[in-house]
Each structure stands twice: as structure tokens, then as C-alpha cells.
Amino acid sequence: MNMKFNKSILAIAGASLLAFSSCIEETFPQDSYATSEQVGASSAALMSSVRGIPSQMAQGYLVYGSQTHETDMGYPAYMIAQTELLGDMYPEGSNSGYDWYRTYNTMSSPMGDKSYFSYLPWFTFYKFVKTANDVISTVDIDDETIGDDVKGLAGVGYASRAFQYYMLTVLFSAVENPYTDCGKMLKSDKVVEAYGRQVKLSELTVPKVTESTDRETAKNNPRLLKDDMKAFILSDLDKAARCLKNYTPETKTLPNLAVVYGIRAKVCAWFEDYAQAELYADSAIVEAQKAGASPVTASQWDNPTTGFCVANQAWMWYLHYDAENMGNLCNFTGWMSGEADWGYSSLTNPAIDKSLFDAMGANDIRRSTFIDPACADRGKTYKTSRDAAWLDEMPAYLSLKFRCKEGNYTDYAVGGAVDVPVMRIEEMYFIKFEAMAMNGKLGEAVSALNDFMRENRDPDYACKATDAREFQLEVLKQMRIEFWGEGNAFPVAKRIKPGVMQNYAGTNAPANIFKINCAVIKPNWNLVIPEYETEANQILQKSNNPDPTQAVQGPCEEGVYAQGTY
């Protein structure tokens, strides 16, 4: 293979020691970014670096490099976090305090710029960006002497970077809400100079760091405006599509062309470009179907040894845990499998929100992986690697969705060495259906959703939405059920602002701190940029998101949204 390598200087930041303004001290690593040399000058080194992208995404203790905070576990952490942000998951076990993610659900603990819940997501995703930048920096994709295989590896880098900036944009963009001031105008001369005009926080995304960003630029690097971020991400996806057109990665742990189209559909939906979202969701479906993709089947959904732990034909992109580099606590299965006898799930018993469970029809195949409180004989009803006596002891609504590999619930090195879905073909269908309705094709969208649901999920399903907003909310509800624990419904919710009701008649919210009702969005859906970053990049000090800690406190009045200030 011929390769052409470009020199680049990465914007690398050090880290400092920060503490809560309370009795709880938070420790931050001395090197959240370590200075890296250019990826080795050979195709084998490039391949190794590209394979490192999915490995890093599933790496436990990624940011700290040691056991410091149990949510420090790469991308799967934000599958869980997004589910908790939605209020769709509760710890129903007797040791619910072990749910390290519950702050995302409740905002009762600090979420400001000195907290783990600010620091970890920011530096997790920027570490992913850095790894993609390392790959991108090595290849000149316009060099006609480079073969399709090497360009394809560069394409994986561009696709990965686009996805990471999409996630950063979703998590850190500020959506206006009644509880925190996200609509304020930025008046600092320094900030106004950077943007060219006064702007609202709600117009901003995150700073752009590429393979050519140097240290000086990084010290004065503003949050991009929405249109600029959209253009940047789509440019990366254009390059990824061009590079991957004639190259198929060795496994689906690396994004291929179908995934590039899928990321583009997600990005266009986020920026409310529904025509493009529909187009690219359909393109992703068509491209994925060429490789045999189809929705998860009923038998796959509740399989006690492979269900949502072994990749199948529906999974377009996934991660994989290796037994050699995973710990017993810091892994996805140990958090999310109701059957696992290691990690924290055996203590917290992760369960679905009651209202979401009740929204599933009696014949919905997805219902079979959450324990129905009305079930008289659990041993005969649920497929499990455990026994009937164990089932009888478990709390109602417990999730059995994410299984232990081979049904091994005692040995984390076997049961936790699983595949983890990042993108499934079902998501593309739901994006397409919503986009169709928003593009003025409500009747077609309702028919398409009904056909899909009846064929793949619930034979008795019937959507009767009479306007686009009603249809949007219905699609969101189905995505919350479909992607429970996977997180993919959260960007939709943050975009369409549905309101969140966690204290209602019969709620299974386990404590008052969970019983919060928020109009529009929960204010902690807007994550805060960490203090370390704002100190290193001072232009951000006038454009950070407001601290949502305890902006809404439970219990709210049953069935009533909390009153806001803004």
C-alpha cells in the first residue's frame, strides 16, 4: 500500500486537581490528553490505530487510567447516562445508592463545572476526537497514489470524528427551558468578537479541535455556532463516504458506508433538516440491507444467552469487550444486565419506568424482557439463565434485556465479554418515519410506522396520530422503548422537547429525588463544560451552560410540571 503522511500538531491540554465546594472531593487526572506522536509510517500501524477506535470506545477507566469513578467507561457510559437523563431507568434494588449514574436522572448531586458529570463526558468524547484526529492526520485522501484500502481507513477516522462531535453537540448544546437561563445574551467583548455578533447560549455547540489545531488556537477556541458545527460534521461525513465507497471495514466494530449514512441521518435530524434526515435514513437502510440487515427478531430479543450481548444482523455498528482488558465493575453488562451476579446491577436492579412499560401492548415482543408486576408465574413466563426462585425475588419492571454472554452470570470475564450496539437499523426506520411526518407526509408516515411495528414488534399496534407533533411524540415513545439502555432516544427528546413526567400516579420512581416533573426538558440535559477546560480556554468562561444542580427538586406535585424561573 502507498501512503502519504501529513505532519500535524494536536491541541493537547493538561489537567488539574479540582474539588467540590462541599465535603466530597473529586480527583481529576494529571493528563486527560497526553502528547502523542504521529501514527506510525506504515499501513499496518494505521490499521492498528484504526482498530484502536472501537477498543478505546469500550475502554474502562478511559479518562483516569485507574479506578477513580465507575462511570469512567467510554461510550457505553453514555448509553446508560442518556437513558437515565430521560428518566426511563430506575434502580429498584435494595442498594440503589450504588447507581453511580442516578445524578443524570435526578440532578440532586452536583452537576456543575467541578463535577464528574461535567468532566467525564467532556474529556471522554474529546479523547475519542483526538484518536480520530491521529488517524486523519496520517493520510492525504486527495493523493491519487493512495489505494482504496488506506483511504478507507482514513474514512473510518472521519466517520468516527463526525459521530463524536455529534455526541458532544447533543450533550453540551443548551436548550432553553424554564429552569435555567440558557437564553441569555453573551455580552463579553472577547466573546462577541469571536462570534461577530451577540448570541444566545442556545445558539452554541462545542469548540472544534482537528488534526491541525495548535496549542495557541486551543487557548482561544470558542464554541461553534450551530450552522458552523453542522457544516463541519457534514464535511467529515462527505469525506468518510468518499473514502468508504470502495472499502468495507473488516468488522462492524468499525463504521462502514451504511453507518456514515446513518450518522448523517442523525445529524440532519438533530439540526431539524428533515428532508436530508429522511433521505439519509433511507440510504442507510438500503445500504445496510445489502449486507443482510433487518430488525431484531422476537427470538433474538429475549434469547437468554445472546440477547443484546452478541451482534446480529440488525446491528450496523457495535463495540466489543475483551476479557483480557475489562474489569468486573467497569463494564456495560455489569451495570445493565438484570441477571449478572457481578458489578453493580446485582445491587441496583436496573428497571424500566412504569409508564414506559405500560405503553407496550400485551403482545409487544419487547415486553418480554421486563418483569411484569402482574405476572403470576415468572418461571414459566420469562426466559432466563437464572432460576424461578431468583426471578420471584426480583423487583417488578427489572430489565432482562441485556444478557450475560453464554448465560454466564457468575464469571464477568465470560458473561461480560459482550458486543454492545451503537447503531441498529431500527433507528434508521424511526428517523425516517419522523422525518416523513415533518416533511408534510403525515399519512404516509403513520402507515409506515404501523406496518413496521406490526411486522416487527406488536401485531396489534395502531398509531392514530392526526398531526405532526403528535406523531413525533409517538415515535419518541417507541424509540424510548426500543432503545432502552442504548440511549439513542435521548437526542430526539432533547430536540423535540416533550416534557418529562417522573412523578405520576403509580410511579415506580424509588425515592423522592427521582420524582421530578419538568416542562420542555430536564435542565440537566444541558451538560456543563468543566472548569478545567474554561480555565485553559478562557473564551469559554462567558459562554458556559448554567449549573443545573437541584434546579428542580423532588418530589414535584404528582402529575404537575415544576414551575420555572425563566
Side-chain angles (χ1 to χ4, degrees), residues 147-157 243-244 247 249:
D148 289 337
D149 47 359
V150 173
K151 285 185 179 179
L153 296 176
V156 170
C243 291
L244 289 165
Y247 176 80

Side-chain angles (χ1 to χ4, degrees), residues 252 256-259 261 281-294 313-316 424-425 428:
K252 290 184 180 178
N256 57 24
L257 186 58
V259 172
Y261 292 153
D282 191 59
S283 296
I285 292 167
V286 171
E287 189 67 26
Q289 286 175 336
K290 292 178 182 178
S294 61
Q313 80 290 337
W315 295 20
M316 298 167 62
R424 292 195 277 126
I425 194 170
M428 298 299 107

Side-chain angles (χ1 to χ4, degrees), residues 32-51:
S32 60
Y33 289 117
T35 302
S36 64
E37 296 181 357
Q38 191 175 2
V39 175
S42 71
S43 59
L46 179 60
M47 174 62 82
S48 178
S49 184
V50 167
R51 288 173 179 164

